């Protein structure tokens, strides 16, 4: 199976290395020093699944140079998807399927708007991995856990293309589940990652102090309740105990754990604020659901985001 990885960061780089080691033909979209290192030495992986370096079948900065693929795993930051999506058309021109792995709930729709509904499925991933130097990826903890599913009229139907992709990913070491309702699965992940990321970015604290402080624990649950009401108002079949199960999951993460949006905001980098908390505010306005806590957190974090994107002058982060 020929698989293209769009974005060879912590998630994409790890999957590229694992898939190539398992025998898939892997092409990678990677830029700058990271891409040059992968082109010269392959992807270097340091993981509980093994330490190794492995070359890629192709490495390029232009998607068109990678050639057609059976499956395209889109692993860039959520805020990059909309602008990048049209350039991915050559990758799926032979009937391939694009699968977004971003945080948030809008990436699949953004890809479909550019590539066509038939060329896009849904997906999500849970893994703790990051770039550990040019061409190098560090992975800790459990193997990648992924959910894949068809969207729209295809939802719930047999999917040979996702079954083939799932088999390749399982052979690489990932835990993969094909689900009938990938939209619900995406919102369930969003229910975990978005309130955590936004609140932690504002509090500048890891999960341990957030969940052990009664006031911030209560706020975290209230943010999840807002998000759950929004999901249901948009027709997502979230179970009634979704918030309780999400809080239980967060109680199980390491006390020192941080969210990706929190890490980006704290480091002064552009973050997924507009694709997570900003998306909640936008989507809530569309259906008339009040989300005052999300509006407050979005406003609180927006000056830092604007400075990171150089829309306003930078300022000390004291």
């Amino acid at each position: 199976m020929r698989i293209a990885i769009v974005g060879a960061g912590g998630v994409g780089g790890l999957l590229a290395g694992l898939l190539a080691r398992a025998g898939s033909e892997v092409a990678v979209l990677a830029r700058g020093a990271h891409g040059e290192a992968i082109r010269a030495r392959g992807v270097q992986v340091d993981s509980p699944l093994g330490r190794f370096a492995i070359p890629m079948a192709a490495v390029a900065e232009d998607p068109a140079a990678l050639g057609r693929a059976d499956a395209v795993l889109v692993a860039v930051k959520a805020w990059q998807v909309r602008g990048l999506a049209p350039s991915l058309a050559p990758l799926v021109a032979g009937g391939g399927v694009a699968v977004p792995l971003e945080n948030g709930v809008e990436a699949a729709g953004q890809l479909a708007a550019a590539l066509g509904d038939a060329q896009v499925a849904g997906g999500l991933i849970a893994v703790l991995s990051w770039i550990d130097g040019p061409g190098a990826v560090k992975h800790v903890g459990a193997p990648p856990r992924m959910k894949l599913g068809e969207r729209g009229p295809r939802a719930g139907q047999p999917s040979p293309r996702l079954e083939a992709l799932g088999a390749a990913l399982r052979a690489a070491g990932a835990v993969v589940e094909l689900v009938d309702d990938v939209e619900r699965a995406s919102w369930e992940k969003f229910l975990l990652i978005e309130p955590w990321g936004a609140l932690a970015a504002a509090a500048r604290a890891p999960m341990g102090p957030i969940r052990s402080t009664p006031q911030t624990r209560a706020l975290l649950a209230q943010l999840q309740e807002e998000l759950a009401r929004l999901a249901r108002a948009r027709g997502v079949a979230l179970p009634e105990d979704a918030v309780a199960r999400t809080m239980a999951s967060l109680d199980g993460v390491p006390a020192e754990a941080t969210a990706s949006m929190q890490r980006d905001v704290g480091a002064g980098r552009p973050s997924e604020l507009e694709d997570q908390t900003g998306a909640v505010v936008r989507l809530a306005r569309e259906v008339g659901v009040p989300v005052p806590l999300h509006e407050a957190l979005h406003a609180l974090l927006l000056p830092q985001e604007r400075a990171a994107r150089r829309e306003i002058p930078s300022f000390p982060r004291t």
Side-chain angles (χ1 to χ4, degrees):
M1 188 174 199
R2 194 168 200 275
I3 301 174
I5 306 290
V6 176
V11 170
L14 175 64
L15 293 178
L18 294 174
L19 285 163
R21 184 179 65 165
S24 292
E25 182 182 354
V26 181
V28 171
L29 182 73
R31 294 171 175 155
H34 194 56
E36 292 175 3
I38 294 173
R39 192 176 294 107
R41 301 186 296 275
V43 174
Q44 301 171 72
V45 175
D46 183 356
S47 163
L49 298 173
R51 295 186 66 183
F52 60 93
I54 188 161
M56 300 292 104
V59 183
E61 296 191 0
D62 179 3
L66 295 178
R68 295 177 180 179
D70 300 304
V72 181
L73 299 179
V74 183
V76 296
K77 290 290 189 180
W79 53 270
Q80 297 173 309
V81 173
R82 189 187 301 274
L84 185 63
S87 70
L88 305 183
L91 297 177
V92 297
V97 58
V99 179
L101 298 176
E102 282 72 26
N103 293 322
V105 293
E106 297 179 302
Q110 292 167 350
L111 287 173
L115 305 177
D117 274 324
Q119 304 305 120
V120 180
L124 55 145
I125 186 169
V127 67
L128 186 55
S129 55
W130 59 89
I131 293 176
D132 197 33
V137 176
K138 175 74 173 178
H139 166 222
V140 298
R145 301 186 65 87
M146 303 177 68
K147 293 183 179 182
L148 310 175
E150 297 287 0
R151 305 166 58 251
R154 292 173 177 256
Q157 298 181 12
S159 176
R161 62 186 186 176
L162 293 186
E163 289 170 1
L165 175 59
L169 289 162
R170 291 187 192 102
V175 178
V176 182
E177 179 184 359
L178 269 60
V179 296
D180 290 339
D181 192 344
V182 73
E183 183 179 19
R184 182 180 72 185
S186 296
W187 279 85
E188 286 175 335
K189 179 184 177 183
F190 200 40
L191 191 63
L192 183 144
I193 195 67
E194 185 277 329
W196 174 15
L199 180 56
R204 301 188 181 187
M207 177 49 65
I210 287 173
R211 69 188 178 208
S212 65
T213 302
Q215 293 88 340
T216 47
R217 185 181 183 88
L219 181 54
L220 181 60
Q222 291 163 4
L223 287 163
Q224 291 174 7
E225 292 286 359
E226 280 191 351
L227 187 50
R229 286 194 294 271
L230 170 60
R232 295 184 181 114
R234 296 186 67 87
V236 180
L238 281 185
E240 289 301 316
D241 64 345
V243 169
R245 289 194 295 109
T246 301
M247 287 296 292
S249 294
L250 289 173
D251 280 336
V253 306
E256 69 275 12
T258 57
S260 60
M261 185 168 73
Q262 170 188 8
R263 293 191 295 272
D264 286 338
V265 170
R269 297 187 295 261
S271 78
E272 293 181 336
L273 176 66
E274 291 302 326
D275 299 277
Q276 293 195 40
T277 311
V280 173
V281 173
R282 289 195 309 274
L283 295 173
R285 287 173 180 165
E286 290 178 4
V287 293
V289 172
V291 288
L293 296 177
H294 278 88
E295 289 177 350
L297 274 179
H298 180 247
L300 180 64
L301 294 170
L302 197 52
Q304 296 180 80
E305 185 69 20
R306 294 187 66 206
R309 294 180 181 276
R310 299 182 180 180
E311 295 173 3
I312 61 174
S314 61
F315 49 84
R317 294 168 180 265
T318 56

